[in-house]
Amino acid sequence: MESSWGVGTTSPSSDPIIHLLHRFTYGPTKDSVSEVTKIGADAWFEKQLDHLALPDTKVESYLAKWDIFNYIHKDMNFLWPLAESEGDMSKGQIFYSNHLTGRVLHLYTLIQQTHSERQIFEMMVEFWHDHLNITTLGDETKDGNLDWHTNDWNKRVIRQYALGRFDDLLQAAALHPAMLVYLDGELSTKEQPNENFGRELLELYTVTPKSGYTQSDIINAAKLFSGLRVKWPERWYQRGPRTRPWGSTFVDVPPYSTMLHGERQNYGTFKIMGWQKSVTTLDQVLPAIKSLLSYLAAHPETAKAIALKLGRRFVEDVPSQQFINDIAASYTSNNGDIKAVLKAVYQHPDFKNAAGKKLKRPGEDYVSVARTLNVFPNFTRVQKWKGITKEFSYPAVVPDELKRMGHAPLSWPFPDGYPDVASSWVNANHQVLRWNVYGHFLQGNTWNQPALDSLLPIRETNLDRQIDQVSQLILFKELGSADRASVRNAVTKAFGPNPDLNNYYRDITGLIARLIFQLPVWSLR
Amino acid sequence: MISDDAIKNCPEGREGFTRRQFLRGAALFGGMTVLSANGIRYTFAATTNEVPDVVVTLVLRGGFDSLSAVVPTDENLMRKVRGEIFIPNSSLLPLDREFGLHPALKKFMPLWEAKELAIVNTLGAPTHSRSHFDEISDVAYAAYGEKDKRSGWIARFLDVAGNGSAVQSVGIGSTTRQLIGGKAAPVNVDAINNFRLDSVFGYKAEDLAGFIDETHGRWTNIWATQAKSTIAALDQIAMASAQKTVVTYPNTGTGQRFRDVAALLKAGIGVRAVDIEFQGDWDMHANMGTLDDGWLTSYLADLAGSISAFREDLGVLWSRVTVVTVTEFGRRVSQNQSAGTDHGWGSSTFVAGGGVNGGKIHGRFPGLDDKQLKDGDLVVTADYRSLLSEILTRRAGITAEGAAQVFPNFRPEVLSVMKHLSETPLPENFPTKVQTALGNVAYDPDKLPTMAPVASATPTPTPTNTVDATPSPTPTAKPNNSNSPAASASPTTKSTKKTITCVKNGKTIRVTGTNPKCPTGYKIKK
């Protein structure tokens, strides 16, 4: 997104460290800036890519405090018996009628984005979730059958492979029950293979329409995948919404709760673009699927499609053709190794020249405020939910705030993932909601009240110096003279010509911060 | 060249500027395109202008069972398919020989009798997937065959017909995909009084608005530009929030939403399109309830109660409003095992407003015999986009070419559910402020689509509460020449037009035509 600004305004920081942290984290913080300054940007980047070696005690100890996170990342085999143990399916249904599993995942995601040390990893979790999108907002449209799988999807597909190889990620996604439910593989029959997954596999996840695939490629893919279905727990078939599938030939597809159903499987010679295989027995199906997915993952158009999306995420809304070519080449020569490709993005000249060219989407705005203020969700403002064996305390308002702004975590309802260009996120309603949210954060509402004095180096009593301090905390630079005057005027309008920081420290500092979040420069990253 | 005066007279709302002044102005530069200061283009085709309707869509999310609302009176057939949820004719409110209305919709009857409510059979989408997921989105985007579905049809409508107001479209409720995308920024709210800035730390909301305006004014990018218009919208929505009403709406989310919309329209801030989400899920797979009580009955009462209160609240503004129901699909003809119905396809649609050929069931009912159904569903006999197209072209002031941009890859059929604006002159007491905010749309009367014969032959019974709303269609005696360009440019046709003034109970309207007559109940003012 292009911007220009007049004299005296506060422009985006040109400091390469700030730029790096704007793009590869959910927002620069005091601590992250000092760390990069200390060890150097390249070393920081390398360290981030080895995410499992990074200790993450702050976020882990927080999550351990709340019962609700006992239900994070659980799969259907854990959740279903628990739901059923109540002996009342209407209670068991809280998992989907209240979207409990999805909501836990949303809160968990926001907390990780805000406080995890593994920032590049968290950014890629979101990136890949959007790329292979399933909605976790609650799935009325799938009759509650999807919510059982969204947490396991997050854990064993997205988080497992977010910094691995794209081929592995794609294999996991294609075989996971969440995808089978979301794109209707569950509804396939031998005679009528559902085309949804076959279509999106080509259109969205890999080669894109630019590759020139045909409807027959889609149908062939659908036929090849027609035997896959979810392996629900035995009791689910007895008490759940669907009966046990007709037939007798079932082969497990580990490690997921997925199986091949012989009676639904199509056989023959499958030709999809430049790939072809004959499948005559059930045990040939999985190797053929894996071979097709590897072919697609390695396809040059897949490389370009992923390069384009990475460019949009980390560089600018419309990445240059040169960038796409360079990153696609890196993807191909590194065999789809995500860490290597990210390094190529980071080292690309287009990245270095892109400071301030991305508009924060609501989620990035929201999380970057929480990071700046170093706050956690407020568990004293909670809804009580009837749970499986007891009530949960759940701060539902936190993800709900983002939901109202159209950006609840991992919740885009369509298969193509949240849009990642500025024009999709500019509207009156979102702006008003964002502007008010800054106030909520500073007053301590859905998130804990920030400890402003401990965030700032000095307990300042001089207004001008306090404005400078707060500006450094939020923007890592001084305000432009005109913006500075606007902030000063606003504070004196509210607190008189000589605002008394001694007695009204919190309110005055809160207002200054509120106004600085409000500046146009904050909307950029 | 277009003079500065002419530009100043553009219909975007300069103070003290009335429609008639505008008409004079238009006559001076007929056939030109004016580019106003804010870049909005106004095309003055050749001839005449009208204040357009506000288009209000009411989304019945979940899939509307129209067979329980507009009920076929063939009892034998209905008893067979509907079983437990069968409604006997004796309970129905009579519509015509073939259909009756569910008794919970009784508040629709005054609108029906005043010919302000029409029913259209049997509309639906071209797709038949029975999936909420696919259909509610597709219906909102209404861009079948287009790859990019990031803009909803209302957003595209405003791209074609926008008036430059800061608040052109408002979405009330949570589903607002019809408003997604486009250049005209929609305001999406749960309730209009939520659309405001909070004051914080002793700093007033209006000061904060000023701060935002000032600091964003130093920037040029799409975010900052939107911010300035958002600040303007805040003021305008605040004006709407301040509107009072004496009308009692149903005490429901939907009732509240209609009350909000009435306030928006009364405030005269230039809203052209509103998308209301009915609060509640129509996906009645089980336990629909009884005639007296339950899920369906309470929803239907809410539906009719909200719209009739809205009509009452709007008063004379009703003459420039069209309300149309939208749903993702109708429901299965046969009742299921759980006293409910499953996802189906075609559905009857309600259209209400000042420009409706009302009191009539339009369209074609496909029949309920097994052989007439498609996989157990009512067949769609007309695409819902045909109705929307007609509303946009006849009431909301866009051309057929414009409608083709709103609904790509689609050729609408003429349903004649709507009257053209020219048949429903603006009532004299229509508030100037609202009129100015809505602006004028130009149309070429010689290029109007062929009108189906409407109710002018049978005098409208005039219920006392609807005097100002729908004068029965003026017999303009328009030559039936839409397919005949040669005949269309007849200046003599135009020059023979006269305008008369009609009054009733202190209300005044003006009627234009070759042989103008006052509507029933009105007397000509000499």
Side-chain angles (χ1 to χ4, degrees), chain B residues 463-481:
Chain B
T464 48
N465 63 341
T466 56
V467 281
D468 53 356
T470 46
S472 40
T474 315
T476 46
K478 207 154 284 142
N480 207 355
N481 60 5

Side-chain angles (χ1 to χ4, degrees), chain A residues 279-480:
Chain A
V279 176
T280 50
T281 61
L282 197 58
D283 58 4
Q284 291 172 339
V285 174
L286 213 48
I289 285 176
K290 291 187 168 176
S291 157
L292 169 65
L293 295 172
S294 293
Y295 164 81
L296 292 171
H299 198 283
E301 289 297 338
T302 303
K304 281 191 212 161
I306 289 173
L308 168 68
K309 279 195 174 175
L310 286 169
R312 258 189 220 143
R313 182 84 289 248
F314 294 105
V315 183
E316 55 198 325
D317 287 359
V318 186
S320 70
Q321 196 53 52
Q322 186 64 51
F323 176 91
I324 293 169
N325 295 344
D326 293 347
I327 301 305
S330 163
Y331 175 96
T332 303
S333 64
N334 288 294
N335 203 10
D337 177 65
I338 295 161
K339 290 180 183 180
V341 180
L342 281 177
K343 218 145 65 175
V345 172
Y346 161 64
Q347 288 164 348
H348 200 277
D350 282 9
F351 171 73
K352 301 200 160 38
N353 296 328
K357 284 194 180 170
K358 285 290 290 181
L359 183 79
K360 287 176 183 171
R361 299 182 294 179
E364 289 133 24
D365 192 353
Y366 193 78
V367 172
S368 64
V369 175
R371 279 174 67 76
T372 299
L373 299 176
N374 193 25
V375 287
F376 280 98
N378 183 354
F379 264 84
T380 64
R381 284 174 59 94
V382 291
Q383 292 180 358
K384 296 282 186 191
W385 284 1
K386 285 207 172 95
I388 304 307
T389 51
K390 58 176 188 170
E391 286 192 338
F392 290 102
S393 294
Y394 178 75
V397 277
V398 171
D400 282 358
E401 267 180 336
L402 272 176
K403 188 180 166 190
R404 278 201 295 278
M405 291 186 250
H407 202 191
L410 320 178
S411 297
W412 182 252
F414 314 114
D416 56 350
Y418 278 115
D420 198 9
V421 292
S423 52
S424 301
W425 296 102
V426 175
N427 77 55
N429 196 47
H430 288 174
Q431 283 191 321
V432 172
L433 290 166
R434 283 204 212 188
W435 294 338
N436 285 331
V437 154
Y438 303 142
H440 299 170
F441 268 109
L442 284 156
Q443 286 176 312
N445 182 328
T446 50
W447 294 63
N448 291 329
Q449 200 176 65
L452 288 169
D453 46 356
S454 72
L455 289 168
L456 297 166
I458 300 165
R459 193 173 168 106
E460 191 55 74
T461 53
N462 173 283
L463 176 61
D464 293 293
R465 287 200 294 271
Q466 186 70 344
I467 292 174
D468 288 345
Q469 273 204 118
V470 178
S471 177
Q472 285 295 341
L473 173 73
I474 296 174
L475 301 173
F476 299 93
K477 66 178 300 192
E478 273 186 15
L479 296 181

Side-chain angles (χ1 to χ4, degrees), chain A residues 1-12 135 140-143 182-184 196 199 203 209 359-360 365 404 412-419 422-432 434-436 438-440 442-443 482-487 489-491 493-495 506-508 510-511 514-516 518-521 523-524, chain B residues 61-62 130-134 136-138 141 147-150 166-167 169 171 173-174 176-177 179-191 194-231 233-234 281 283 285 328 343:
Chain A
M1 179 181 80
E2 294 304 322
S3 303
S4 62
W5 47 85
V7 183
T9 192
T10 317
S11 55
T135 184
E140 296 163 31
T141 56
K142 301 295 169 193
D143 297 330
Y182 183 62
L183 287 184
D184 299 324
N196 285 351
R199 179 178 298 107
E203 179 180 327
L359 183 79
K360 287 176 183 171
D365 192 353
R404 278 201 295 278
W412 182 252
F414 314 114
D416 56 350
Y418 278 115
S423 52
S424 301
W425 296 102
V426 175
N427 77 55
N429 196 47
H430 288 174
Q431 283 191 321
V432 172
R434 283 204 212 188
W435 294 338
N436 285 331
Y438 303 142
H440 299 170
L442 284 156
Q443 286 176 312
D483 285 348
R484 202 167 193 286
S486 297
V487 172
N489 290 342
V491 177
K493 186 152 195 181
F495 290 93
R506 247 211 71 76
D507 286 6
I508 294 171
L511 177 57
R514 167 81 163 91
L515 295 167
I516 292 175
Q518 195 68 74
L519 293 174
V521 67
S523 66
L524 303 175
Chain B
R61 197 170 50 80
R130 292 176 175 166
S131 152
H132 296 292
F133 174 80
D134 295 332
I136 194 71
S137 304
D138 281 347
Y141 291 125
K147 209 61 223 175
D148 183 4
K149 294 191 176 169
R150 292 218 192 274
V167 188
S169 61
S174 55
T176 50
R177 284 181 206 139
L179 301 165
I180 281 175
K183 293 188 275 290
V187 176
N188 302 345
V189 288
D190 300 334
N194 290 345
F195 187 74
R196 58 180 165 78
L197 284 174
D198 301 338
S199 65
V200 63
F201 298 120
Y203 193 54
K204 287 185 195 137
E206 59 264 36
D207 292 334
L208 184 59
F211 177 88
I212 294 168
D213 207 32
E214 179 179 297
T215 50
H216 286 71
R218 300 180 189 126
W219 277 69
T220 310
N221 66 20
I222 54 171
W223 180 257
T225 306
Q226 175 61 47
K228 287 165 242 169
S229 129
T230 300
I231 296 296
L234 282 166
D281 186 351
D283 193 17
H285 286 285
E328 61 260 54
H343 302 177

Side-chain angles (χ1 to χ4, degrees), chain A residues 154-172:
Chain A
N154 186 259
K155 179 187 177 188
R156 291 206 292 173
V157 178
I158 304 295
R159 287 177 178 270
Q160 179 76 40
Y161 297 106
L163 289 176
R165 285 178 64 248
F166 179 69
D167 190 347
D168 296 334
L169 175 64
L170 187 65
Q171 307 270 359

Side-chain angles (χ1 to χ4, degrees), chain B residues 309-376:
Chain B
F310 181 60
R311 186 258 168 275
E312 188 188 345
D313 196 3
L314 282 181
V316 69
L317 298 187
W318 180 249
S319 63
R320 282 299 181 268
V321 170
T322 300
V323 183
V324 58
T325 59
V326 176
T327 188
E328 61 260 54
F329 41 63
R331 304 194 74 84
R332 206 74 51 83
V333 170
S334 291
Q335 185 212 307
N336 63 20
Q337 300 299 310
S338 322
T341 55
D342 296 325
H343 302 177
W345 193 20
S347 165
S348 310
T349 295
F350 293 108
V351 194
V356 174
N357 284 319
K360 186 177 169 189
I361 299 178
H362 298 260
R364 193 172 70 78
F365 189 73
L368 287 169
D369 281 335
D370 280 349
K371 270 175 275 168
Q372 294 167 312
L373 304 180
K374 170 99 189 294
D375 300 334

